[in-house]
Amino acid sequence: MKILKYIGIGVIIISTSCSDDYFDVNSSETAPTTTSLEPEYRIQGAIENTTGTAQYRGSREVLGIVQYGAQNVENYYSETWSKELTTGNYFLWQNAYVYALPNTADLIVLGREYNAPNYSAVGKILRAYILGMTTDQYGDIVTDQTYDGESSMNLTPEFVTQKEVYQTIFQLLDEAVAELDQPSEIKLNEEGGDVLYQGDIERWKKFAYAIKARYMNHLSKKNSGDLAYDANEIIALCEMAIASNQENALVRFVGGEAENSNQPFSEDGYGSSRIDYFSEFFVELLKNPLNINEAYQDPRLPIIVPEAVNGGFQGIMVGAGDTLKLKTVGGKQVYDDNYSKGNGGFYTSPDSPTYMFTYSEVKFIEAEAKFRSGDKAGAFADLKMGVQADMEKLEVPAAAMNEYLDILDTEIGVNNISLSHIMVQKYIANMLNPETWVDMRRMDYSSDIYPGLQRPENVNLDIFPNDNDWIEAMMYEYNEEDRNYENMPDNSPVIRLTTPLWWNTPE
């Protein structure tokens, strides 16, 4: 009965994530509590809020920036970096601090209270994951002074630097791995709540190692100090991390009439798709992802991208929604039949899972680290394993996969491997993951790294006047600015949206 009660609460949280009662958690029926439910009844909600409210919203706002998807309207804010994006509306900030992070705080407290350090460990892993996504979109954020499951809510918390956030992330992950090795009186999957790993402690540890490798890899422009880029440590972490597709961290959806049973990016998902079409950049990249003279189409293209009604695969230029010439049928606008609809592919069908971390990403992280350390042979081997893992995840037919891998050998190989080959394959494999925006910024939005990449049409020229001006961060939530302006950094659009984050500043 309790588990059903919690699931009901989860639905309310999702459906009210854009309400005006931004911080009204003390009186809200959606407020987290450490007293009404034991940890075994809270773990499912903590996991699903991490993906369903935080990751989904973080991904949704950067779809046009990373150019996975495109809208069917002109000047859509997240594609042209205008309107709502410059006013600090409800984005990841609210979903992280009001809904996702409090669930992790409660899980940590309940783990201590019930002598179940494995639950505290899971809370810390999820907390590190959410803090990471949040700081990677905003920079300086709040860590210790947010809701902790014990103290009263602080409405004017102090911000900490992004460097300090990263130190907190690494500390949380290290503590979690140690706690997972401690005896616990309650098993993680006691009530079937561990929808990520079904109580498998070793897989949770591998997930923690993978997250740590991801965030250490973000430091590729740091060459001094206690958080300098360390390729060898990243490689070591990857060797302890997720080691097969069976260990991928993902939340599944079954599809059906209930909105929250559907993948959020599907047509009937609970959050409105925000991916009307696939983008021209993404589709064209898949037509020649190896960037070789004689274009070789990626076998993943027809699996990820639906074919247009009139045949073929065609994406929309991001920001150019007004060129679509939508038809009106029965008083409603319908999709142009010449373009590939955003819903219905591998990642955007009602029963598509949400991937938090995959084996393929681990191999691409390892490939990058080896490439930067001068080990091209090792980098190429990991690149191939990453590609194979992703194709197996998508169930690409064996013959097509092997032919692609053979071409990778003959056309690229150890001698010709570049950072571009690694990042393009990672871009394809990390579809709909907000991690892609981190990569694009680390790579300075380079068309040498991502062939064919160009700024969207109709970009906000008031803030981004030059052809090489790209968006670097998100505005802080406007309610935060109203309430906590003395503590938060400069939130003027021309500063917030254009200033590179700490990890993206060379030293």
Side-chain angles (χ1 to χ4, degrees), residues 153-172:
M153 180 69 73
N154 182 358
L155 298 183
T156 56
E158 294 181 3
F159 283 62
V160 300
T161 67
Q162 186 170 63
K163 180 178 180 179
E164 291 174 301
V165 180
Y166 268 57
Q167 291 169 327
T168 296
I169 289 169
F170 297 145
Q171 180 182 344
L172 287 169

Side-chain angles (χ1 to χ4, degrees), residues 350-494:
D351 59 352
S352 298
T354 291
Y355 288 93
M356 302 174 74
F357 219 117
T358 62
Y359 174 47
S360 58
E361 183 183 346
V362 171
K363 300 314 293 182
F364 295 133
I365 291 171
E366 192 171 1
E368 180 182 344
K370 288 180 179 177
F371 182 85
R372 291 184 183 279
S373 67
D375 180 8
K376 287 191 174 183
F380 184 71
D382 286 327
L383 170 64
K384 282 190 65 177
M385 284 189 280
V387 172
Q388 180 172 343
D390 188 55
M391 289 193 172
E392 289 176 346
K393 180 188 78 179
L394 271 67
E395 299 183 346
V396 172
M401 178 179 69
N402 290 333
E403 184 175 343
Y404 190 92
L405 294 174
D406 287 343
I407 292 175
L408 195 61
D409 278 328
T410 57
E411 296 289 339
I412 309 301
V414 173
N415 293 330
N416 295 320
I417 185 175
S418 68
L419 193 56
S420 174
H421 296 121
I422 297 169
M423 301 312 297
V424 165
Q425 293 299 325
K426 187 180 180 186
Y427 174 84
I428 296 169
N430 269 7
M431 173 73 183
L432 296 183
N433 194 311
E435 175 66 10
T436 296
W437 192 28
V438 176
D439 284 340
M440 281 194 159
R441 285 174 289 173
R442 284 197 304 121
M443 300 298 127
D444 301 315
Y445 292 100
S446 171
S447 58
D448 291 333
I449 299 294
Y450 301 101
L453 181 65
Q454 56 183 309
R455 291 204 314 175
E457 292 191 10
N458 300 313
V459 164
N460 181 357
L461 297 179
D462 291 335
I463 298 176
F464 307 94
N466 304 308
D467 290 342
N468 61 346
D469 291 339
W470 289 78
I471 184 169
E472 296 289 346
M474 288 292 183
M475 298 278 295
Y476 292 111
E477 164 62 47
Y478 69 83
N479 270 336
E480 188 72 33
E481 185 173 15
D482 290 343
R483 178 186 305 102
N484 197 25
Y485 65 90
E486 291 184 352
N487 288 321
M488 70 184 304
D490 189 333
N491 202 35
S492 57
V494 71

Side-chain angles (χ1 to χ4, degrees), residues 43 96 99 101 150 240 246 285 313 386 408 467 500:
I43 185 172
Y99 304 118
L101 283 170
E150 296 174 307
M240 296 186 290
Q246 287 67 44
L285 186 71
F313 301 92
L408 195 61
D467 290 342

Side-chain angles (χ1 to χ4, degrees), residues 156-298:
T156 56
E158 294 181 3
F159 283 62
V160 300
T161 67
Q162 186 170 63
K163 180 178 180 179
E164 291 174 301
V165 180
Y166 268 57
Q167 291 169 327
T168 296
I169 289 169
F170 297 145
Q171 180 182 344
L172 287 169
L173 293 171
D174 290 345
E175 291 175 355
V177 170
E179 288 175 346
L180 285 169
D181 284 331
Q182 297 174 12
S184 294
E185 292 186 4
I186 308 172
K187 295 180 180 179
L188 281 180
N189 209 33
E190 186 76 19
E191 292 292 332
D194 183 3
V195 294
L196 205 62
Y197 284 130
Q198 296 73 52
D200 191 322
I201 295 293
E202 291 305 310
R203 291 188 180 187
W204 273 105
K205 288 166 67 174
K206 290 182 177 183
F207 182 34
Y209 288 130
I211 297 170
K212 189 170 183 180
R214 174 191 278 178
Y215 283 90
M216 289 192 68
N217 195 48
H218 291 178
L219 308 176
S220 54
K221 292 182 180 178
K222 299 299 179 184
N223 54 26
S224 63
D226 56 335
L227 289 185
Y229 184 81
D230 188 336
N232 290 331
E233 187 170 357
I234 294 169
I235 294 166
L237 286 166
C238 287
E239 290 174 349
M240 296 186 290
I242 295 168
S244 70
N245 280 329
Q246 287 67 44
E247 296 174 347
N248 289 343
L250 68 149
V251 172
R252 299 184 184 278
F253 295 87
V254 297
E257 293 185 7
E259 284 186 342
N260 69 329
S261 68
N262 292 279
Q263 161 58 236
F265 284 105
S266 68
E267 192 168 18
D268 297 322
Y270 57 67
S272 73
S273 166
R274 304 300 168 119
I275 181 167
D276 293 331
Y277 296 95
F278 281 92
S279 78
E280 181 178 81
F281 170 72
F282 184 61
V283 172
E284 294 307 308
L285 186 71
L286 283 169
K287 291 180 180 178
N288 187 20
L290 301 180
N291 198 28
I292 54 182
N293 291 332
E294 187 175 344
Y296 185 83
Q297 181 172 297
D298 197 300

Side-chain angles (χ1 to χ4, degrees), residues 102-141:
N103 280 280
T104 67
D106 285 353
L107 207 56
I108 293 168
V109 172
L110 289 167
R112 293 197 299 263
E113 184 178 323
Y114 286 87
N115 195 27
N118 50 357
Y119 282 92
S120 292
V122 168
K124 289 179 179 180
I125 292 170
L126 297 176
R127 192 170 186 82
Y129 189 87
I130 298 163
L131 288 173
M133 287 191 297
T134 307
T135 189
D136 288 338
Q137 291 210 7
Y138 298 99
D140 297 353
I141 62 170

